[in-house]
Amino acid sequence: MTTIGEALIELLEAYGVDTVFGIPGVHTIELYRGLARSKIRHITPRHEQGAGFMADGYARASGRPGVAFVITGPGLTNTITAMAQARADSVPMLVISGVNATPTLGKGLGYLHELPDQLGMMAKVALSSKRVTEAAELPGAVSEAFEIFATRRPGPVHIEIPLDVMGRPADGLKPLPKREIAQVVDETAIAEAVHLIREAKRPLILAGGGAKGAEAALFGLAEKLDAPVVTTANGRGLLHGRGLSVPASPSLKAVRCLIANADLVIAAGTEFGPTDYDMYGDGDFVLPKNLIRIDIDGAQLGRRPAAVSILADAVEALERLKAGLGSEGRSAEGAARAKAAREAAWEEIGPTMREQVKAVETIRAALPGSIIVGDSTQPVYAANLYYDHDRPGGWFNAATGYGALGYGPPAAIGAALAVPDAPVVCLSGDGGFQFTLPELGAALDANAPVIFVVWNNRGYREIETSMLDAGIEPVGVSPVPPDVLLVAQAYGLQAERLSDIGALDGALKKARSTAKPCLIEITVE
């Protein structure tokens, strides 16, 4: 007899899942019945929030959904923070949980891990939250999750299975046939956009996280239009080193000036969120009037006005626009405009942030093609303002959008397991690092060769600076960090402390050569 728990594992295998992150408990052991004999590897974090962040990092690095198994109640509520981060950044994540036995639900009888309405709670965070109450419902629930990931703006999806359902018979369950959902691109919108493009003299392109897989199409259109391309934090790595690239934040005055001087802006896969466009909260960013928006999510398009809105995947829309322009090209002095914006933005961020960006550039130079996973720490903030990464999709962090501290270490582990051939660096501050510090053990368990770089300024320095700038005496911003070298060594990791950033290059190369998780601490005055 095959149980529902075993059938779930078989269905996940059929959808190409090769890794799940989770902490087993008495409320999920039936989900583990078929796991040991499957091809799916199980990674055990030290906290369910880590499971969610690992699934997030896995998804961003691989382009495939990350999957987490968590228990009823506290296991799931621990995962909500990671799910909220995934929703903010459009990351495909499947969270599968238990829930108490069906006859007890909603009755407040005090069962272990009981919530008043677990399904209703998750429906507020997840794109979809489904409960499986019988075997026949399982293939549809799994199919719907993967259909969401493939056909619309992705994010977290939740499936829960009651304790009294997991062990029921489920013989003969098969994946549902894949539905072919052809997205019909509005020809009128394409034609209107092409007309606006032909009329423009100084076009500009904004590329966000939704354009991460569209580098060739993006560069093709940019080159044809001779248009500078501004990338948000989640779009970094696109057009690395190209003359038309402006890898700088639209929160900077220099970039805002470039946008304001354009007579047409094409925005691909960006929601115009304030953490990218107004991180200083000055309210000075003005949405361009002559704006063409491209997004896979119709609801997102409806939130910001545009001259033309194109509901489509970024690759298809950009290619259609290029094709609509035919063989015509133009000279809009794009490279010169982009160069001037880059130079002005670099000057604008000031000497302190320039030094922090140079530290990130040291990582890039020492480990070309690396994936750098950031937490909310000073060099990450600085590089989100200005930094040109050399790998599309290889720069991501939680310092924008939902902004969850502690994201970096577990997300880097997920990324390293997803792309084992790429160097993976976690760049974290000592404050955020303490949120998920125990995941060093998970890295060792999983043999994930992450290089953990801890920027140690002994506290929440960014918050302290903000308090001082606001005339507030700093309080609560100096939590004493542990000796992270001793902690790393206690877990069995090779660790090194640097007081000179000039030694970082050699330390990174040495750590990479071990092919094991390592830690480098940089002490900062």
Side-chain angles (χ1 to χ4, degrees), residues 125-473:
V125 179
L127 297 178
S128 170
S129 182
K130 298 288 185 183
R131 178 181 298 152
V132 172
T133 58
E134 57 184 57
E137 296 174 352
L138 184 63
V142 176
S143 174
E144 180 180 333
F146 283 87
E147 189 173 288
I148 287 172
F149 299 144
T151 62
R152 53 185 273 198
R153 188 185 189 194
V157 173
H158 171 241
I159 297 173
E160 67 179 24
I161 307 176
L163 294 180
D164 58 327
V165 173
M166 292 179 190
R168 290 180 185 171
D171 292 319
L173 293 185
K174 300 291 183 185
L176 296 183
K178 184 179 179 181
R179 292 198 306 161
E180 295 298 330
I181 303 176
Q183 189 178 59
V184 179
V185 180
D186 187 343
E187 296 294 342
T188 301
I190 293 292
E192 290 175 353
V194 168
H195 173 73
L196 288 178
I197 293 169
R198 283 180 171 146
E199 296 293 314
K201 304 298 183 185
R202 298 181 309 282
L204 175 91
I205 300 174
L206 299 173
K212 279 192 296 189
E215 184 177 32
L218 179 66
F219 180 65
L221 182 62
E223 195 172 41
K224 179 176 282 290
L225 299 180
D226 194 24
V229 179
V230 175
T231 48
T232 68
N234 281 331
R236 297 292 167 77
L238 295 167
L239 276 60
H240 169 67
R242 307 273 192 176
L244 292 171
S245 175
V246 182
S249 171
S251 293
L252 296 172
K253 293 177 183 177
V255 180
R256 289 177 175 179
C257 182
L258 175 69
I259 296 170
N261 287 334
D263 60 356
L264 174 71
V265 174
I266 303 168
T270 178
E271 64 181 6
F272 290 100
T275 53
D276 273 313
Y277 290 82
D278 191 21
M279 71 168 292
Y280 296 111
D282 57 23
D284 286 344
F285 178 77
V286 178
L287 203 68
K289 291 182 179 179
N290 208 18
L291 175 64
I292 298 170
R293 287 198 69 191
I294 299 166
D295 204 287
I296 199 170
D297 184 6
Q300 182 56 244
L301 287 173
R303 294 181 185 124
R304 309 279 185 181
V308 179
S309 294
I310 302 173
L311 180 62
D313 172 78
V315 173
E316 182 171 6
L318 293 168
E319 288 179 344
R320 295 282 289 275
L321 291 177
K322 181 185 175 186
L325 293 168
S327 59
E328 63 188 75
R330 72 183 69 205
S331 177
E333 299 182 340
R337 291 158 58 207
K339 182 174 184 289
R342 289 194 302 268
E343 291 175 349
W346 181 248
E347 184 65 26
E348 183 180 341
I349 65 173
T352 299
M353 284 194 173
R354 285 199 291 269
E355 288 304 309
Q356 292 164 3
V357 172
K358 287 177 182 177
V360 180
E361 290 176 338
T362 297
I363 299 174
R364 183 189 66 199
L367 304 172
S370 61
I371 297 171
I372 304 179
V373 184
D375 216 315
S376 295
T377 190
Q378 287 183 314
V380 171
Y381 289 129
N384 278 348
L385 284 176
Y386 189 106
Y387 171 63
D388 189 13
H389 196 52
D390 63 352
R391 182 190 183 108
W395 169 264
F396 57 86
N397 55 75
T400 63
Y402 194 62
L405 267 172
Y407 170 86
I413 294 169
L417 295 171
V419 191
D421 294 335
V424 176
V425 177
C426 167
L427 182 53
S428 179
D430 60 290
F433 187 63
Q434 292 180 72
F435 275 59
T436 48
L437 182 153
E439 301 304 351
L440 290 176
L444 195 65
D445 287 347
N447 195 28
V450 177
I451 303 172
F452 298 93
V453 177
V454 181
W455 187 268
N456 189 350
N457 54 25
R458 299 185 64 80
Y460 303 135
R461 188 60 54 84
E462 197 71 21
I463 306 304
E464 180 180 357
T465 301
S466 297
M467 284 181 163
L468 290 169
D469 289 346
I472 298 170
E473 184 177 351

Side-chain angles (χ1 to χ4, degrees), residues 18-39:
D18 61 13
T19 307
V20 298
F21 305 92
I23 301 175
V26 294
H27 281 193
T28 54
I29 56 173
E30 281 295 336
L31 300 183
Y32 284 75
R33 184 177 293 277
L35 196 56
R37 61 176 179 270
S38 75
K39 296 178 182 179

